[in-house]
Amino acid sequence: MESSQSIIKSLEVKIKALEIENQKLASIIDLNNKEINEYKTLIQSLSPKITANSGINNEIDLKFKWKTSDTRRKLLCELKNDSKTIKKISGNSVWNCTAVGDICLVKGKINKWKIQITNVNPNPSHIFFGIVPENIDLNGINNYKSGYSTNFENFNKHNLGNYTVTYNHRGKNGDIIEIIVDLEKGELSYFLNDIDLGIFCDNINKNINYVPFVDMFYEGTEISLL
């Protein structure tokens, strides 16, 4: 029968072997941790810098009301729903009805708002929306040429008067458009009924004060803020 002494020696040998193994594992762990930290440092140096002015915290749901020309408001346009809705009530298709937001877009931010075409009468081709400089003449003609916009008939680009065919869509009553103006990157894009239509302009002058903009030619046309 094996003596207690020999059992003790055997166990001591096993303990020593395990301790040696632990030392080896500890060395491996230290090496692995060192390598992990090196990889993390490299990843951090290669990753885009995230600042307080980027990402979702940089997005603003712009809250505003429509305003029109004081000299032509009663003749052409009707403001309703606490100035959230504008309707062209006269002027046939000779005089356009222009409205802008009562506040400027926030520079360096992603400004977002939604509009709904609550009445198209009779033709969607002469409904424009986008942004214009805050000092626009609301009594002017073809105001859309002063800024960056699109038209409701087919969502073509109208950037500072330059016209480019882009998206074939004929607007209809009830359509919802989201306007997104990134004044950090200088980009304008649209969503139509939650469908991303992409970037319409990527070189907006970010030093100008802009306001939201809509323009209607035909009587009965109505646009509402959501």
Side-chain angles (χ1 to χ4, degrees), residues 178-197:
E178 182 175 22
I179 298 95
I180 302 174
V181 184
D182 188 336
L183 288 181
E184 185 179 38
K185 297 180 179 179
E187 295 177 348
L188 167 66
S189 57
Y190 297 97
F191 278 74
L192 172 65
N193 299 325
D194 293 326
I195 299 173
D196 187 357
L197 302 186

Side-chain angles (χ1 to χ4, degrees), residues 35-46:
E35 195 169 359
I36 288 171
N37 290 332
E38 289 175 351
Y39 291 154
K40 287 182 177 180
T41 301
L42 182 59
I43 289 173
Q44 187 175 10
S45 68
L46 295 175

Side-chain angles (χ1 to χ4, degrees), residues 44-96:
Q44 187 175 10
S45 68
L46 295 175
S47 298
K49 300 299 181 183
I50 300 175
T51 66
N53 289 329
S54 61
I56 193 168
N57 293 332
N58 201 31
E59 295 183 356
I60 294 177
D61 290 323
L62 199 67
K63 304 297 183 184
F64 62 92
K65 298 179 181 180
W66 295 121
K67 66 177 183 178
T68 62
S69 167
D70 290 333
T71 59
R72 284 168 54 187
R73 179 186 302 173
K74 294 181 179 179
L75 297 175
L76 296 176
C77 305
E78 178 185 10
L79 292 171
K80 305 187 298 181
N81 187 25
D82 192 26
S83 297
K84 298 289 186 179
T85 298
I86 183 167
K87 181 177 182 179
K88 183 172 182 185
I89 58 174
S90 65
N92 297 315
S93 59
V94 179
W95 297 101
N96 57 320

Side-chain angles (χ1 to χ4, degrees), residues 85-142:
T85 298
I86 183 167
K87 181 177 182 179
K88 183 172 182 185
I89 58 174
S90 65
N92 297 315
S93 59
V94 179
W95 297 101
N96 57 320
C97 171
T98 301
V100 295
D102 61 353
I103 63 172
C104 292
L105 277 65
V106 181
K107 292 180 179 179
K109 301 289 185 178
I110 301 172
N111 297 260
K112 303 165 62 177
W113 65 96
K114 289 183 179 181
I115 60 174
Q116 184 171 32
I117 312 300
T118 45
N119 190 48
V120 177
N121 184 21
N123 190 327
S125 64
H126 285 80
I127 302 175
F128 293 85
F129 39 83
I131 59 172
V132 292
E134 67 169 334
N135 59 354
I136 186 177
D137 177 10
L138 293 176
N139 291 319
I141 299 175
N142 295 333

